[in-house]
Amino acid sequence: MLRTVAVIALPHVAAFELGTACEVFGIDRADTGGPSFDFRVCGPEPGAVVPSKGGFSVVVDHGLEVTRDADLVVVPAYGMPAAPVPEPVLDALRTAHARGAWVLSICSGAFALGEAGLLDGRRCTTHWLHAAALAARFPTASVDPDVLFVEDDRVITGAGTAAGIDACLHLVRRELGAAAATSVARRMVVPPQRDGGQAQYVDTPLPPVADTLAPLLAWMLEHLDADLDVPTLAARALMSERTFARRFRAETGATPAAWLARQRVARAQELLERTDAPVDEVARRSGFSSGALLRHHFARTLGTTPLAYRRRFTCTSDAPTHDAPAGVPG
């Protein structure tokens, strides 16, 4: 049973991520039927003043000894690029996990778990901005940059910032049940479980380097609604199909079909955010042959539906509600 929670505040701790752990686990919600926990913020030196990323400092009252009987040890985001973690902190994380406690990181806190060896051979995630660095630093970890959180053998890693709420509520649900998680979420005025993953929040700019194909890529972006097959593109690039396919992958890191699909999804995202065009019209203007095909690519790439994406990110004055008839998925 999840009763005791210890949060380790490292130098330049991120205020929001620290606050997330405090909000989920540090408030007694017994008066509304919710859970309460024995909650403590700790660090290598009790009484130390720890600087935060927000321009203020946090006084840490407890030392790492409080992790010895904690059911959960949390590491919020801290200074990036991630500085070396003190060995006593790494020992505390290893010991906690070895005796069966949960260990949870939020955002760049995953780097501390990696330093402790807790990501070796495990699936994990972090903020999409840091995913490549995490994978490079800990090559035996399986980093998934598209999800909001990952649970693997009592190690939970949350993605960036607000995804820490999802990770923490997941653990409350896992240990105490859906009613407890819903009670906490209701008090926090957040959904108890979000759909999709962090891929829907990722910017997808053009590749920074595209030596010979840069003009073609720009042209493709202007004609996403056209039939852009390899023979057509190779002819426009004045290359054989084989040479074109090889060069395209070398300069973009993807096949022509994969690159086009991602750019078409990005165009659809823009149309959903900034227009009230129906989903079928968005599909046509972004290069998909039908709304069904757009929904397929949205689910595969972003882990959500066009309508759910529009509700979350619309920039128009009124969120449209007429894109699909009743009973038809968005």
Side-chain angles (χ1 to χ4, degrees):
M1 184 67 71
L2 183 62
R3 295 189 179 92
T4 305
V5 179
V7 179
I8 301 177
L10 293 171
H12 304 291
V13 64
F16 186 95
E17 286 82 341
L18 175 62
T20 291
C22 295
E23 183 71 23
V24 174
F25 300 111
I27 295 178
D28 185 350
R29 294 184 169 87
D31 60 332
T32 55
S36 60
F37 306 93
D38 181 355
F39 178 84
R40 299 166 186 174
V41 178
C42 65
E45 299 179 23
V49 177
V50 177
S52 78
K53 289 185 176 183
F56 58 89
S57 297
V58 177
V59 178
V60 177
D61 292 333
H62 301 280
L64 293 172
E65 69 277 358
V66 300
T67 66
R68 295 172 188 163
D69 61 355
D71 302 310
L72 165 65
V73 179
V74 182
V75 184
Y78 61 102
M80 286 296 291
V85 179
E87 190 61 33
V89 172
L90 301 181
D91 285 341
L93 292 171
R94 296 185 195 108
T95 301
H97 185 262
R99 64 176 172 77
W102 288 95
V103 178
L104 185 152
S105 67
I106 304 174
C107 194
S108 64
F111 284 81
L113 273 55
E115 291 287 342
L118 297 183
L119 301 185
D120 295 346
R122 292 191 172 95
R123 290 184 62 244
C124 58
T125 193
T126 188
H127 193 293
W128 57 267
L129 277 173
H130 307 315
L134 186 70
R137 190 162 175 180
F138 307 108
T140 63
S142 177
V143 181
D144 186 343
D146 294 335
V147 294
L148 295 175
F149 60 86
V150 173
E151 176 194 329
D152 191 332
D153 186 24
R154 301 186 75 81
V155 174
I156 298 176
T157 46
T161 314
I165 299 174
D166 300 280
C168 291
L169 289 177
H170 166 75
L171 182 56
V172 173
R173 185 182 306 106
R174 182 91 153 72
E175 286 286 289
L176 303 179
T182 299
S183 176
V184 175
R186 184 177 294 116
R187 286 278 293 268
M188 293 178 66
V189 198
V190 297
Q193 187 170 348
R194 286 195 292 171
D195 62 335
Q198 63 172 328
Q200 58 194 294
Y201 302 95
V202 178
D203 288 329
T204 55
L206 279 172
V209 177
D211 297 331
T212 60
L213 295 180
L216 177 67
L217 296 179
W219 180 85
M220 291 167 68
L221 284 175
E222 294 175 0
H223 298 83
L224 289 177
D225 57 346
D227 184 9
L228 302 179
D229 56 18
V230 168
T232 300
L233 296 173
R236 188 171 185 86
L238 302 178
M239 299 177 187
S240 69
E241 293 180 26
R242 187 172 182 177
T243 299
F244 172 76
R246 184 173 63 249
R247 183 70 59 82
F248 196 97
R249 179 180 283 278
E251 295 194 17
T252 68
T255 66
W259 190 89
L260 270 172
R262 189 63 189 93
Q263 297 303 323
R264 283 168 169 161
V265 167
R267 177 63 55 79
Q269 289 175 264
E270 180 182 1
L271 292 170
L272 290 166
E273 291 172 16
R274 300 182 180 278
T275 77
D276 61 357
V279 167
D280 285 344
E281 175 67 10
V282 169
R284 185 191 65 77
R285 291 168 60 181
S286 55
F288 294 107
S289 59
S290 66
L293 187 59
L294 173 61
R295 294 182 187 98
H296 166 76
H297 281 279
F298 249 66
R300 188 174 69 176
T301 305
L302 304 181
T304 188
T305 67
L307 282 183
Y309 182 89
R310 171 171 269 166
R311 283 192 293 267
R312 184 167 295 157
F313 294 104
T314 184
C315 299
T316 56
S317 57
D318 297 305
T321 58
H322 58 272
D323 287 30
V328 177

